Amino acid sequence: MKKVFSLIICALAIGMLMPQQANAQKKEKAKKEKKAFVWEMPELTNNEAIDKYLLTCDTLNTSMREFSDDITFYEVAKIEVIGEDGEKEIKYSVVDAEGNLRSSNLAFKQNMQIIMAYPKIALQMANVMALEAGAVAAAPSLGLKALSYSKYIKAGPKMCSEGGAEMKEIYKRARAQAKQIKALKAGNIDDIEANNPEVAAGKIDAGAASIRTIAMQKKDYEEQFGKITAQDKENPVSDFDVPEEEV
């Protein structure tokens, strides 16, 4: 009888714990599924300090979206070209995520656009942070509207923190990729390996810096190589130098 009673007590205890555990798991899941920050421009307030701050935030948001949208990251990969006799020949080429050969000149030009645009965004982030204190100080003058505008005033530092981290990663990838392509053009295989964009972006550890290897039949390689060679001729690049990092 005592044994049966003990089993009943254990069952009740487990029954009480399970809802608590389920609630804890739900809370943990809610934390993990935190929504990404999205900026929405509110109506202007007619307060000079606040409106200047809001407009600067909106300009920064636009610049960040233009900077990150529609970017296609390529990489330099090692290509194992397999002949009809099974013999392998090693080549290096810019490829996309699916392993298709891409124009190195076009990829380099995109990277340079990113590299040149980033300092402007960094300056805009600095402007947002510099104007925040004035907007905070001016908020009480809005009266009852101060509460509804507080989230927009707080949005600036969040945009600089979360968005700034994304922009920095894109910038670092672009720099590494541009250096890879420069090394590819010069035939410096060691530098191709060393400038892995995934390492520069903090996606993988430097110890795992080896670039991707792609096996490709000789017929397919020659067909794709002919296309990218034509694209490179149509889009010449006179200088493959990558500027020093300024920010």
Side-chain angles (χ1 to χ4, degrees):
M1 187 71 180
K2 287 183 178 179
K3 187 175 182 180
V4 174
F5 182 74
S6 297
L7 289 172
I8 293 172
I9 294 299
C10 287
L12 288 170
I14 292 170
M16 292 173 67
L17 285 172
M18 286 180 67
Q20 294 176 2
Q21 291 175 344
N23 288 333
Q25 289 174 352
K26 285 181 181 178
K27 288 180 181 179
E28 186 65 27
K29 188 177 181 181
K31 288 181 181 179
K32 290 181 180 179
E33 294 177 352
K34 185 179 179 181
K35 290 184 179 179
F37 169 73
V38 178
W39 165 261
E40 294 180 358
M41 179 66 182
E43 291 184 7
L44 296 178
T45 65
N46 291 322
N47 180 287
E48 184 178 356
I50 295 175
D51 288 349
K52 185 176 182 180
Y53 173 74
L54 294 175
L55 288 169
T56 305
C57 285
D58 195 58
T59 299
L60 173 60
N61 180 69
T62 300
S63 296
M64 284 181 166
R65 296 286 63 81
E66 290 175 349
F67 185 77
S68 60
D69 289 352
D70 299 324
I71 288 178
T72 303
F73 276 111
Y74 303 122
E75 61 182 308
V76 178
K78 182 189 295 183
I79 314 295
E80 286 187 350
V81 183
I82 307 170
E84 292 182 2
D85 57 0
E87 288 292 319
K88 295 179 181 178
E89 185 179 2
I90 301 299
K91 302 284 188 179
Y92 290 83
S93 178
V94 174
V95 300
D96 59 22
E98 287 73 39
N100 302 306
L101 271 56
R102 294 289 185 171
S103 163
S104 57
N105 286 3
L106 288 175
F108 185 83
K109 284 183 176 182
Q110 178 186 253
N111 289 323
M112 289 303 296
Q113 287 174 350
I114 295 170
I115 291 168
M116 301 307 290
Y118 182 75
K120 175 185 173 184
I121 290 177
L123 179 60
Q124 289 175 348
M125 286 191 285
N127 289 339
V128 165
M129 297 308 296
L131 294 171
E132 184 211 2
V136 171
S141 67
L142 298 180
L144 295 176
K145 289 184 178 180
L147 186 61
S148 62
Y149 273 86
S150 64
K151 68 176 182 179
Y152 298 107
I153 295 173
K154 292 176 183 177
K158 186 177 290 187
M159 191 187 302
C160 293
S161 175
E162 296 181 14
E166 180 188 351
M167 301 302 105
K168 187 69 172 179
E169 179 186 319
I170 292 171
Y171 172 70
K172 283 182 173 292
R173 277 193 180 204
R175 284 186 57 81
Q177 198 172 82
K179 289 181 178 180
Q180 267 198 330
I181 295 172
K182 179 182 178 180
L184 172 67
K185 293 291 187 180
N188 296 330
I189 307 305
D190 289 343
D191 286 345
I192 292 175
E193 294 275 354
N195 289 294
N196 188 326
E198 294 296 300
V199 176
K203 294 295 183 181
I204 61 174
D205 186 77
S210 182
I211 62 174
R212 184 157 59 126
T213 300
I214 300 171
M216 189 176 291
Q217 295 299 317
K218 186 175 182 180
K219 180 182 177 182
D220 294 333
Y221 174 82
E222 289 178 344
E223 181 181 348
Q224 292 189 33
F225 184 76
K227 290 179 180 178
I228 65 168
T229 300
Q231 288 178 333
D232 280 349
K233 286 182 179 178
E234 292 172 1
N235 300 276
V237 176
S238 59
D239 185 0
F240 282 91
D241 282 341
V242 181
E244 292 297 321
E245 187 168 4
E246 297 180 0
V247 291

